């Protein structure tokens, strides 16, 4: 026994001496610390923690003690002074647990407008302000990296996570993302731009093979990431779940190193999405952690104990070069030394939620799009009594579901918002909806469904003729709020795209009844993505699109209806006449394939089109690039949005400024109310060796609030290299010499003035990577 005690004391002494002699991590000794790390410690650092039973330490451990509800952490190595970095979900706000056991305090976060709403503002200054407020909550609640923003393109309106993403256009998406990142990181915390890349559907997302041509990949699906990364330098990039042309994104060195680091100059770390690299479709959830490391995917989240052993064994056997692992570890250490936790920041757990709620309330108006207005908005001063219809008027949706949801303290209903703006809400209608919604929720709660399935929406209530007649007599105006809800893990369906028969009847019956009495009806869309609108949009007197604009929904909408705030949003995507007219509609899972996205064996779906694989056969013709090039009618064009005032455009010029082109235009408020205008610059390129769209967005800007008669000169710069098209045969970006037409407009279909400029040709060679493994029947206009 004495010998055992002596041995234990000796080991303890040796450990203490080792700890004392080991270097402690600083910003200036990363290589020294790396050299002192054991192979086990290196493996531990590249394998993250998070999700009970699936972490590198085998339990919830470190991250639960640091910030409950955070998605995960990096592993701490106390011997070397390496703390954990806390990683937490976004992007509409910080996502952590709002309450904690045996703690009377609450830890609610602000639910800001969804990504689609922010993009609809077309205002990078506003988005940066919102990002700064989000970043402050990340900082004050003790997290280090926000897992946001999501920037995948709106390839198809049915993608379940489009609400998190920004646009169908990479220039708008990339610049909004850059502003968001700069805002968040201004607070000294990091971001993780995601999902890199081609994560355009949720169906079978862990193993869907996105089969994409090199040109569409470069011009669309990677361009927004490129813009954001070069402009804002995010701390991290999150690789997506899916495969790209036969290989998982987290295992593609050409994607994570050649393009991201060698071509774009990215210096941060790449992490997997949670459980990323576990493809259940093509290899029965077998992982290849060596491939992750070799590709440049530095951090596995949320790692498992087996991952550490796999990496250690791979180094020992020579399967993984330790120099590669060292590079992965070095980049993680470089991130850790930037974190508030490493710097010893004493977070307060008390961000200014009241101030952030005001940011949310005001920013929503900037992203609200006025689709129709026959003189009813803003409400006249004699409008006092309001009849509210639609479930969402009483039970508003702040944002989508899944990791993009935010645990907030409240969501303001339209009832409360209208009352806060001194309107009287019809009590009889309110009472009937309260009873109806209570019963509907009880029925939904009793409906059997799997944990990963979205909560179904209740059928809309339609009032009878007697109730309508009573409401018409008692109220000055009617407001109908329609809703849609989508989220992580599943896509919307073609059925969800169209209005239900009950919704159509509600619009028709309410509008007819109020019109008969000479009164107006407004439709408000509390939705996260595009719906069919062409068949009904002219029935009501106005259609307002505030999207899911966060926890202040009711206040924000009421502020706009009353005229206290003016809508200045423009659509960040095209609204088609029908779903079938969307070019990707034939290559998207439109029928709502019911798949548990956590299922570890989905090999039976390998040959199922749009599940096991999806062919991006529309090529570059996504959104307005298709509709404008092929002359298709649309319900609302890209960039469209009305205002409470009007604007005139004049003095459009395009001048050569060396490496860039300067486009200038004078915008004048020609109406009777103050307002802001979004200026959009589209470019039509001369013919070249590749097929080209009719026009492409190359720049945009938003005016300040202009009073009636006031003007502002807007000047936007376009880099000449950004006029290039990607030539697959040459593996190069090519600017064709010739005359370029610069078109300044209020939407892609409302061009106010043009200017032409001759530009010299130029070529920029890049690596020949991401080649498709199957032949794709790519759409062209020739």
């Amino acid at each position: 026994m004495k010998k055992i005690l002596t041995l234990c004391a000796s080991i303890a002494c040796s450990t203490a001496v080792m700890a004392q002699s080991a270097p402690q991590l600083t910003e200036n000794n990363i290589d020294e610390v790396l050299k002192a790390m054991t192979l086990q410690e290196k493996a531990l650092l590249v394998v993250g923690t998070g999700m009970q039973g699936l972490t590198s330490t085998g339990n919830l451990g470190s991250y639960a003690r640091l910030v409950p509800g955070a998605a995960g952490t990096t592993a701490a190595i106390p011997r070397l002074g390496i703390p954990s970095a806390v990683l937490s979900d976004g992007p509409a706000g910080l996502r952590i647990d709002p309450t904690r056991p045996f703690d009377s305090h609450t830890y609610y976060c602000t639910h800001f407008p969804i990504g689609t709403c922010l993009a609809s503002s077309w205002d990078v200054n506003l988005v940066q302000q919102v990002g700064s407020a989000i970043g402050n909550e990340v900082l004050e609640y003790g997290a280090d990296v926000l897992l946001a923003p999501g920037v995948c393109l709106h390839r198809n309106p049915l993608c379940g996570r489009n609400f998190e993403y920004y646009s169908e256009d990479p220039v708008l998406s990339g610049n909004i993302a850059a502003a968001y990142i700069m805002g968040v990181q201004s607070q000294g915390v990091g971001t993780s731009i995601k999902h890199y890349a081609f994560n355009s559907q949720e169906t079978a997302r862990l193993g869907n093979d996105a089969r994409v041509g090199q040109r569409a990949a470069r011009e669309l699906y990677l361009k927004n990431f490129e813009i954001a990364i070069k402009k804002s330098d995010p701390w991290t990039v999150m690789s997506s779940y899916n495969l790209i042309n036969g290989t998982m994104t987290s295992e593609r060195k050409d994607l994570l190193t050649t393009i991201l680091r060698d071509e774009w100059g990215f210096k941060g770390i790449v992490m997997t999405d949670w459980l990323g690299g576990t493809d259940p479709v093509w290899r029965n959830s077998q992982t290849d952690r060596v491939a992750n490391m070799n590709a440049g995917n530095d951090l596995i989240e949320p790692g498992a104990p087996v991952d550490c052993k796999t990496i250690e064994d791979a180094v020992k056997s020579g399967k993984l070069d330790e120099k590669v692992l060292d590079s992965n570890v070095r980049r993680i250490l470089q991130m850790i030394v930037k974190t508030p936790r490493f710097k010893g920041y004493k977070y307060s757990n008390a961000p200014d939620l009241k101030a952030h709620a005001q940011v949310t309330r005001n920013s929503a108006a900037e992203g609200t799009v006025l689709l129709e207005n026959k003189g009813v908005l803003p409400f006249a001063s004699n409008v006092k009594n309001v009849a509210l219809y639609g479930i969402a008027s009483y039970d508003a949706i702040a944002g989508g579901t899944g990791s993009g949801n935010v645990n907030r303290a409240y969501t303001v209903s339209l009832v409360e918002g209208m009352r806060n703006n001194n309107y009287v809400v019809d009590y009889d209608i309110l009472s009937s909806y309260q009873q109806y919604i209570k019963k509907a929720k009880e029925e939904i709660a009793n409906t059997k469904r799997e944990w990963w399935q979205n909560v179904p929406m209740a059928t809309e209530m339609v009032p009878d003729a007697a109730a309508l007649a009573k409401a018409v007599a008692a109220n000055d105006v009617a407001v109908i709020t329609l809703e849609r809800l989508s989220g992580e893990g599943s896509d919307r369906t073609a059925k969800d795209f169209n209005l239900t028969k009950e919704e159509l009847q509600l619009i028709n019956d309410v509008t007819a009844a109020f019109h008969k009495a000479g009164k107006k009806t407004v439709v408000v869309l509390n939705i996260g993505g595009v719906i069919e609108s062409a068949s009904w949009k002219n029935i009501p007197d106005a259609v307002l699109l505030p999207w899911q604009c966060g926890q202040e929904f009711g206040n924000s909408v009421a502020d706009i209806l009353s005229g206290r705030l003016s809508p200045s949003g423009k659509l960040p995507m095209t609204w088609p006449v029908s779903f079938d007219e969307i070019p990707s509609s034939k290559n998207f899972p439109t029928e709502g394939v019911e798949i548990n996205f956590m299922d570890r064996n989905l090999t039976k779906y390998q040959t199922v089109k749009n599940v096991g694989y999806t062919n991006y056969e529309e090529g570059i013709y996504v959104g307005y690039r298709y509709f404008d090039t092929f002359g298709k009618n649309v319900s609302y064009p890209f960039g469209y949005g009305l205002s409470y005032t009007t604007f005139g455009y004049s003095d459009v010029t395009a001048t050569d400024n060396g490496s860039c082109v300067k486009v200038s235009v004078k915008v004048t408020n020609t109406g009777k109310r103050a307002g802001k205008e979004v200026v959009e610059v589209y470019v039509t390129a001369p013919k070249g060796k590749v097929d080209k769209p009719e026009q492409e967005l190359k720049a945009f800007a938003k005016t300040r609030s202009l009073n009636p008669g006031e003007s502002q000169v807007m000047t936007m710069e376009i880099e000449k290299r950004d006029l290039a098209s990607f030539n697959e045969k040459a593996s190069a970006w090519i600017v064709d010499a010739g005359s370029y037409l610069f078109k300044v407009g209020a939407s892609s279909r409302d061009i106010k003035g043009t200017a032409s400029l001759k530009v010299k040709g130029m070529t920029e060679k890049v690596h020949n990577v991401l080649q498709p493994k199957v032949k794709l029947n790519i759409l062209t206009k020739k």
Side-chain angles (χ1 to χ4, degrees):
M1 183 68 179
K2 186 175 180 181
K3 289 183 179 181
I4 294 174
L5 291 173
T6 302
L7 177 62
C8 290
S10 176
I11 292 172
C13 183
S14 298
T15 303
V17 171
M18 184 179 177
Q20 288 175 1
S21 62
Q24 299 298 290
L25 182 65
T26 70
E27 295 181 21
N28 302 315
N29 73 340
I30 289 173
D31 284 338
E32 181 186 357
V33 169
L34 178 59
K35 187 176 180 180
M37 293 178 75
T38 65
L39 176 58
Q40 183 184 41
E41 288 169 337
K42 293 176 183 178
L44 189 67
L45 195 61
V46 299
V47 178
T49 70
M51 291 190 177
Q52 190 169 11
L54 293 173
T55 71
S56 56
T57 56
N59 56 52
L60 224 62
S62 60
Y63 89 92
R65 287 194 300 270
L66 294 173
V67 182
T73 71
T74 59
I77 304 175
R79 183 179 75 86
L80 298 169
I82 302 172
S84 291
V86 177
L87 318 173
S88 192
D89 281 320
L94 179 67
R95 179 178 170 84
I96 59 174
D97 289 345
T99 59
R100 299 173 184 177
F102 310 107
D103 186 344
S104 61
H105 296 89
T106 58
Y107 302 85
Y108 289 108
C109 299
T110 305
H111 196 314
F112 292 86
I114 61 172
T116 302
C117 182
L118 290 181
S120 296
S121 75
W122 295 63
D123 189 335
V124 293
N125 294 322
L126 172 83
V127 175
Q128 190 165 342
Q129 180 188 8
V130 171
S132 179
I134 295 173
N136 178 256
E137 294 190 16
V138 175
L139 177 69
E140 294 303 335
Y141 276 132
D144 297 291
V145 177
L146 182 71
L147 303 176
V151 302
C152 295
L153 286 191
H154 291 197
R155 173 179 175 256
N156 188 284
L158 298 188
C159 175
R161 296 183 82 169
N162 274 357
F163 75 95
E164 292 186 51
Y165 304 148
Y166 295 128
S167 174
E168 69 186 22
D169 181 82
V171 170
L172 178 57
S173 174
N175 281 283
I176 293 295
Y180 179 101
I181 292 166
M182 287 188 285
V184 173
Q185 294 189 171
S186 71
Q187 299 298 303
V189 295
T191 57
S192 187
I193 188 171
K194 63 185 186 183
H195 303 91
Y196 184 71
F198 314 99
N199 187 182
S200 301
Q201 68 182 64
E202 288 296 286
T203 302
R205 62 179 183 165
L206 289 174
N208 173 261
D209 184 13
R211 298 174 176 177
V212 189
Q214 289 171 292
R215 185 181 178 195
R218 291 279 192 171
E219 290 190 14
L220 299 183
Y221 301 102
L222 297 179
K223 178 56 70 173
N224 52 348
F225 283 96
E226 179 184 2
I227 292 169
I229 288 167
K230 286 182 175 179
K231 287 192 172 185
S232 64
D233 192 23
W235 288 12
T236 80
V237 169
M238 183 186 292
S239 57
S240 56
Y241 287 125
N242 53 281
L243 290 75
I244 167 65
N245 293 332
T247 304
M248 301 211 75
T249 62
S250 60
E251 297 172 11
R252 292 206 69 128
K253 187 172 183 178
D254 54 1
L255 182 68
L256 305 186
T257 297
T258 306
I259 293 176
L260 181 62
R261 292 187 166 103
D262 299 342
E263 292 184 9
W264 298 351
F266 176 66
K267 302 298 183 185
I269 74 165
V270 175
M271 70 176 79
T272 64
D273 201 341
W274 267 231
L275 297 178
T278 55
D279 172 14
V281 176
W282 294 94
R283 61 186 189 201
N284 198 19
S285 297
Q286 297 301 306
T287 60
D288 190 341
R289 297 314 187 190
V290 173
N292 293 146
M293 297 296 106
N294 281 324
N297 196 114
D298 309 297
L299 179 62
I300 298 165
E301 281 289 355
V306 68
D307 295 325
C308 290
K309 186 176 187 307
T310 296
I311 291 169
E312 286 185 65
D313 290 348
V315 172
K316 291 175 181 177
S317 67
K319 188 177 178 182
L320 175 63
D321 189 333
E322 191 165 4
K323 290 181 179 179
V324 172
L325 181 60
D326 285 348
S327 294
N328 303 128
V329 171
R330 181 181 292 106
R331 286 191 286 260
I332 295 174
L333 292 176
Q334 288 170 341
M335 181 202 75
I336 288 173
V337 298
K338 295 191 291 186
T339 63
R341 181 158 276 95
F342 175 80
K343 294 179 179 180
Y345 182 76
K346 304 298 182 184
Y347 54 92
S348 66
N349 275 328
D352 192 343
L353 298 181
K354 184 175 290 187
H356 294 168
Q358 194 62 45
V359 171
T360 301
R361 180 171 179 170
N362 293 337
S363 63
E366 300 279 345
T368 294
V369 185
L370 182 59
L371 297 176
E372 301 286 342
N373 191 16
K374 301 172 186 176
V376 64
L377 296 179
F379 288 155
S381 59
N382 61 351
V383 172
K384 298 296 182 184
N385 299 296
V386 181
L388 295 182
Y389 293 97
I391 292 171
S393 290
Y394 302 88
D395 191 18
I397 299 173
T401 64
S403 61
N405 185 30
V406 179
N407 294 316
R408 58 206 176 273
Y410 63 86
T411 300
V412 178
S413 69
L414 189 53
V415 175
E416 185 179 356
M418 296 303 286
R419 287 173 173 171
N420 289 341
N421 275 265
N422 298 315
Y423 293 100
V424 177
V425 174
D426 189 298
Y427 184 77
D428 289 339
I429 301 174
L430 182 152
S431 297
S432 64
Y433 268 99
Q434 282 182 315
Q435 297 173 23
Y436 183 83
I437 292 171
K438 180 181 178 182
K439 183 178 179 181
K441 285 187 173 183
E442 289 173 351
E443 292 176 353
I444 290 172
N446 293 326
T447 302
K448 185 178 180 181
R449 67 178 187 279
E450 300 296 334
W451 68 269
W452 44 268
Q453 293 175 313
N454 280 326
V455 178
M457 304 299 294
T459 302
E460 194 55 78
M461 185 177 82
V462 180
D464 59 30
L468 270 176
K470 183 179 179 182
V472 169
N475 294 284
D476 303 312
V477 69
V479 176
I480 304 169
T481 308
L482 303 181
E483 63 181 0
R484 287 292 184 277
L485 180 64
S486 64
E488 183 177 10
S490 62
D491 293 306
R492 297 170 60 201
T493 64
K495 181 180 178 181
D496 188 70
F497 181 80
N498 298 306
L499 295 196
T500 65
K501 64 179 181 179
E502 291 83 7
E503 289 171 328
L504 286 170
Q505 185 180 352
L506 180 63
I507 293 173
N508 280 299
D509 290 0
V510 171
T511 303
F514 274 76
H515 278 186
K516 190 174 181 179
K519 297 178 181 180
K520 306 292 187 180
T521 300
V522 176
V523 170
V524 174
L525 299 177
N526 183 203
I527 60 180
V530 179
I531 61 173
E532 188 277 325
S533 58
S535 68
W536 60 268
K537 65 182 182 180
N538 292 319
I539 297 172
D541 300 286
V543 180
L544 189 68
L545 175 63
W547 301 104
Q548 292 159 351
C549 56
Q551 67 185 46
E552 289 287 324
F553 174 85
N555 284 330
S556 299
V557 173
D559 288 345
I560 294 169
L561 295 176
S562 68
R564 194 182 79 81
L565 295 177
S566 179
S568 59
K570 298 290 185 82
L571 291 176
M573 78 294 281
T574 307
W575 282 42
V577 172
S578 67
F579 179 77
D580 291 340
E581 294 185 3
I582 300 166
S584 62
S585 61
K586 295 178 181 178
N587 289 290
F588 194 86
T590 61
E591 299 308 315
V593 183
E594 289 290 346
I595 296 176
N596 181 347
F597 69 89
M598 296 291 285
D599 195 329
R600 315 314 297 152
N601 186 353
L602 299 175
T603 54
K604 64 182 179 181
Y605 290 107
Q606 287 181 5
T607 59
V608 180
K609 181 182 178 182
N610 302 331
V611 181
Y613 68 92
T614 302
N615 294 334
Y616 287 42
E617 293 182 331
E618 69 280 357
I620 63 169
Y621 292 109
V622 174
Y624 73 90
R625 284 171 169 79
Y626 169 75
F627 292 104
D628 291 355
T629 301
F630 288 83
K632 301 292 185 180
N633 291 328
V634 298
S635 183
Y636 296 113
F638 176 79
Y640 169 86
L642 301 175
S643 172
Y644 287 165
T645 188
T646 55
F647 297 94
Y649 290 63
S650 61
D651 305 332
V652 175
T653 62
T655 57
D656 192 319
N657 194 41
S659 63
C660 69
V661 175
K662 279 193 175 182
V663 178
S664 181
V665 61
K666 183 179 180 181
V667 179
T668 303
N669 184 340
T670 57
K672 298 180 180 180
R673 299 177 64 95
K676 298 180 179 181
E677 175 69 332
V678 174
V679 177
E680 305 159 29
V681 180
Y682 299 87
V683 177
T684 297
K687 290 184 178 180
K689 293 183 179 180
V690 298
D691 199 35
K692 295 183 181 181
E694 171 64 25
Q695 58 187 8
E696 294 180 289
L697 181 75
K698 293 299 181 182
F700 63 90
K702 195 168 191 175
T703 68
R704 63 178 181 271
S705 182
L706 299 177
N707 291 317
E710 188 179 6
S711 300
Q712 183 178 357
V713 174
M714 308 298 293
T715 301
M716 293 145 283
E717 291 189 353
I718 302 170
E719 293 290 330
K720 289 180 181 177
R721 69 178 301 274
D722 292 334
L723 300 174
S725 299
F726 188 75
N727 187 308
E728 293 181 351
K729 291 182 179 179
S731 193
W733 290 98
I734 297 177
V735 177
D736 291 302
S739 181
Y740 285 75
L741 186 63
F742 295 84
K743 304 152 79 171
V744 178
S747 79
S748 73
R749 298 280 178 100
D750 186 11
I751 303 302
K752 303 293 188 178
T754 64
S756 59
L757 186 71
K758 287 186 177 180
V759 178
K760 293 181 180 179
M762 62 178 70
T763 300
E764 181 182 320
K765 292 282 290 185
V766 293
H767 298 85
N768 183 18
V769 294
L770 300 180
Q771 301 95 332
K773 291 187 175 182
V774 297
K775 182 175 175 57
L776 298 172
N777 184 25
I778 301 295
L779 174 66
T780 67
K781 66 180 180 181
K782 295 179 180 178

